[in-house]
Every structure is written in structure tokens, then in C-alpha cells.
Amino acid sequence: MDKLLIEGGARLSGEVAISGAKNAALPILCAALLTAEPVTFTNVPQLKDIGTLLALLGQMGVKVERADDTVTLDASGLNNPVAPYEMVKTMRASILVLGPLVARCGEARVSLPGGCAIGARPVDQHIKGLQAMGAEVRVEHGYVHATVPRLKGARLFTDMVTVTGTENLMMAAVLADGETVIENAAREPEVVDLANCLVAMGAQISGAGSDVIRIRGVERLHGATHRIMPDRIETGTYLCAAAVTGGSVRLTGTSSCYLDAVIDKLMDAGCEVVSERDAISLSAPARLNAVSLRTAPYPAFPTDMQAQFMAINCVANGVAMIRETIFENRFMHAVELQRLGADIRIDGNTAVVQGVARLEGATVMATDLRASASLVVAGLVAEGETTIERIYHLDRGYERLEDKLAALGAKVRRLT
């Protein structure tokens, strides 16, 4: 199993390009199931999760063509609306095939998904929404089995803000009979990107980016070409990596408009951040100030950046309080950071981080995707060598991580 070896102490500087967003690409690729015409996507990141999803679509009868960052999907031969456990057990995003399959085929059999062990992420909101649209849904033998002659528009209210739930129901609604209104909808930029793609395919959607989305169902969708938005979490991770090393970097192919809460915290920490039309530059002081934060649904501070900020607070000046309100089991990286010498106390959903003068390299283990990123950030500033085990989590969400860090001057290499 691959490991990542980091020799800390190098100050990051230079320029690196940000990849397309994994969390936008996954639902958008699933949207290809909604039409019998070819759909082409550009700026698709080359990640393990993307490969898993493309393999899943292929076994459903979708023709997949991939060249560099461009993927063309042709679902005219869709003949197997089943997502088996053995293909989806490592990736929660596989549930996103449920809505499109029910809408297009009138039936879907999708295994309950796996993924990162960061807490409960139930699919009951997806099921509740489909039932309100007229589908008969049963959960049996670990599978969600949904059938319906044709979905009907309905007024849907989710009990919690759920990104994948909003995306699944939005895709289901575009081919439903009549109007669907999703209230308490997720407002994330990735939801907006999916809506823009669906509109390019002929869907009628308004309100994406707000908490009320309206969809007028159409008879069919057509082919289109769509460019995936930049990955705001990858962007934030590299900004943290530069900040913790006192570095100065310019990230291209991205935008600060998706990252207001993260950039505000970096500026509070003492960084200078300059936003361009499609780039962000950051210059960091020799030592950061501690910054407290509370995660919450977009546009508040993202849970996917909590671990990286815990890492930079470990060596910042002062004390930070971090409250995690999205997932109940997302402080597993704290124990690994403590192995590097961090002073962290956990009390329920709150972590108190006392900045220390230095971290020391050690062997640590990644427990989930963003926890992996926090260990990389900490390893970059720790004295000596840090070895990160189980980095297959990193490969799920960061494209060519070691190459991009090395381009910025980091001493990092993969051990196979």
C-alpha cells in the first residue's frame, strides 16, 4: 500500500494549477444517465473516485470515452440500472445514480454506499423525496430499490441540508411530470454547477444557489458540453499548505468567489490574499495567528476544510476553538496530529488547539480524505520526516498531490 514521505521545513513558493472539482464532477457525470445523447465534460480531475464512477456507469451500459481531462458519456445503450455493492462500497457518491436512473428508466437498484468513516450520512432524505414524487421505494438486502412509471412533480422539504440529496432530487425532477420545488436545498457551488449542466442539457431549473430550487420537468434532455468548476477544497488545501510554511504561492484556474469563509480565516491568521479573475495569490507571515471556526453548510465555513485549519492552528500563535457541526465523527485526525506533537483537546464536537513552537515528524495514518490532507499540511512544517500511511484516501480527492507540492518546493515523494 502506498505511503507519502514528507521532509518538513521547506517554504512553499511558486505557481500551481487547480484541478476540476471532484464534488462537482461526480454528480455531473451521473447526469449523463438522463439522456440518450452523448454528453461531453471537460476539466474532469483524474481521481480514484472518478475512475470508480466511470466503471460503474460502464457496467450499466454507458459508453465511456476518456482523454486527459475530457470525458464523453453516451447512455443511449443504458440497459442495467443497477449499482452493485462491490462497485460502490468505497464511494458514497454512488448514491447519485439513484435519481437519474429512476427518472430515465423508471427503476433503479442501488447499493447503500460506503466511503469515508466520518459519521452518519443517511440516504433517507433521498428516499423520502423520491417517494413524494410517486416512486415506490424499498430498502432490502442492503439495496435501495425504486420503481415508478413516471415521477411526478412535488413539493419537497429536506429535514436537513444535504448536498447529495439536493443533487439527486434535482436530477430526478428534471424528467418528472410537472413542477418540483425543493425547499431547504443545499446552496453549495457544486449544486449550482450541476444545475448549469442540466440547463445546458435542456432542463428548466431556477433558484440553484438559494435554499429553494424550482424544476419544471421536461420530456427529454439532449446532449451538451460542460466544463467542471474548479475544486474549491483543493484550492483551500494548497492555501493552507502555503500558509503553514510561511510561503507565497499563486493558484491558477480557480476563483475566490467559492471560498469567502476560508479566505476570511486565512486573512485573520495573518495572510495576505489577492484575488484575480481566475487565480488566487497568498503570502504568509513567518508564524500564523490562531483562528477559531465553526463549520456549517455553505456559504459558512466548509466541513471539508476543518481538518486543514486544525493543522495550521497546531503551530499558530495562540489558542483556537474549532466546532464541527456537520459530522459527528470528524476529529479522527486529531489523534494523528498529536503524534506529531500537537496540543489538541477534544470535547464532544469542539476541539481546543493550543499552538506549539514546532511539530516533529512521525509515522501517521490517514483515516479519511480531508484528514489525509491535514496530515500533509502538518507534515510540511514538522521537523524531520513524516510518513503518511493509507494515502489511498488522498488519491480519491487530490489529483497528482505530490507532483503539485513538489512544484512548489516541497520535499515529498510517494513510497510504493
Side-chain angles (χ1 to χ4, degrees):
M1 193 174 293
D2 287 7
K3 304 176 183 180
L4 208 62
L5 179 65
I6 302 173
E7 184 179 337
R11 177 180 176 271
L12 298 194
S13 65
E15 183 173 293
V16 72
I18 295 301
S19 301
K22 175 187 85 111
N23 288 342
L26 291 171
I28 286 172
L29 291 172
C30 293
L33 293 167
L34 290 162
T35 178
E37 297 182 17
V39 188
T40 298
F41 307 106
T42 61
N43 203 33
V44 179
Q46 298 188 37
L47 301 170
K48 188 174 181 180
D49 275 9
I50 299 295
T52 299
L53 181 61
L54 292 178
L56 174 62
L57 296 176
Q59 70 90 35
M60 292 179 181
V62 179
K63 183 180 179 182
V64 179
E65 294 181 4
R66 187 174 188 179
D68 297 324
D69 71 343
T70 299
V71 174
T72 298
L73 300 177
D74 181 350
S76 59
L78 178 63
N79 58 10
N80 183 33
V82 177
Y85 172 74
E86 57 270 18
M87 296 198 70
V88 306
K89 61 184 178 182
T90 63
M91 187 179 65
R92 295 201 62 88
S94 57
I95 195 66
L96 287 164
V97 302
L98 178 63
L101 288 176
V102 175
R104 170 114 180 268
C105 305
E107 182 178 12
R109 191 166 179 266
V110 179
S111 171
L112 292 170
C116 288
I118 59 175
R121 294 191 280 186
V123 299
D124 60 327
Q125 301 303 305
H126 308 235
I127 293 172
K128 174 183 161 186
L130 290 174
Q131 288 173 329
M133 297 170 73
E136 180 183 339
V137 185
R138 302 188 307 277
V139 179
E140 51 192 9
H141 306 296
Y143 282 78
V144 178
H145 188 199
T147 57
V148 66
R150 185 182 180 186
L151 293 170
K152 298 185 181 301
R155 194 171 196 88
L156 310 177
F157 182 88
T158 58
D159 296 336
M160 65 185 75
V161 177
T162 162
V163 176
T164 55
T166 299
E167 292 167 338
N168 230 343
L169 297 176
M170 187 163 61
M171 287 189 283
V174 295
L175 294 180
D177 183 19
E179 183 181 64
T180 298
V181 179
I182 305 174
E183 299 187 50
N184 200 30
R187 300 164 60 186
E188 271 72 1
E190 293 80 7
V191 173
V192 178
D193 203 29
L194 172 62
N196 291 339
C197 174
L198 292 170
V199 169
M201 295 168 65
Q204 297 182 16
I205 302 173
S206 63
S210 75
D211 60 357
V212 179
I213 301 176
R214 298 179 181 275
I215 305 107
R216 170 67 64 178
V218 297
E219 286 295 324
R220 64 183 59 84
L221 297 184
H222 52 70
T225 297
H226 179 79
R227 181 174 176 82
I228 305 296
M229 66 173 280
D231 195 315
R232 61 191 174 102
I233 305 303
E234 184 193 27
T235 301
T237 300
Y238 283 106
L239 290 175
C240 285
V244 79
T245 64
S248 178
V249 300
R250 182 172 183 265
L251 308 180
T252 62
T254 188
S255 172
S256 63
C257 68
Y258 310 123
L259 283 165
D260 288 343
V262 170
I263 289 174
D264 284 349
K265 291 298 181 183
L266 287 168
M267 294 175 71
D268 289 345
C271 298
E272 179 183 336
V273 182
V274 177
S275 299
E276 305 172 43
R277 181 172 170 270
D278 60 353
I280 304 173
S281 297
L282 176 142
S283 295
R287 191 177 187 191
L288 302 170
N289 299 317
V291 287
S292 296
L293 59 93
R294 176 182 182 274
T295 66
Y298 188 86
F301 192 91
T303 182
D304 278 357
M305 285 301 305
Q306 175 258 108
Q308 297 90 315
F309 267 77
M310 183 179 289
I312 68 174
N313 276 320
C314 288
V315 290
N317 183 36
V319 181
M321 294 188 64
I322 298 176
R323 289 193 61 207
E324 173 59 59
T325 72
I326 306 297
F327 296 119
E328 75 279 6
N329 194 26
R330 206 164 199 182
F331 284 151
M332 291 186 290
H333 49 279
V335 175
E336 300 302 312
L337 290 171
Q338 287 169 342
R339 287 182 51 79
L340 300 175
D343 184 351
I344 305 170
R345 300 191 312 277
I346 305 295
D347 182 12
N349 70 339
T350 301
V352 180
V353 185
Q354 170 72 62
V356 297
R358 64 192 181 101
L359 298 176
E360 296 181 347
T363 298
V364 292
M365 182 176 67
T367 53
D368 64 68
L369 172 55
R370 305 309 173 186
S372 308
S374 77
L375 299 179
V376 171
V377 171
L380 290 170
V381 76
E383 293 183 2
E385 290 186 346
T386 297
T387 301
I388 305 174
E389 298 184 341
R390 293 176 60 180
I391 61 167
Y392 60 82
H393 288 295
L394 278 172
D395 294 335
R396 291 182 49 234
Y398 291 93
E399 183 178 34
R400 299 186 300 107
L401 177 78
E402 62 268 33
D403 295 338
K404 291 186 179 183
L405 286 174
L408 295 174
K411 297 178 181 178
V412 54
R413 60 192 175 95
R414 181 179 292 251
L415 304 177
T416 300

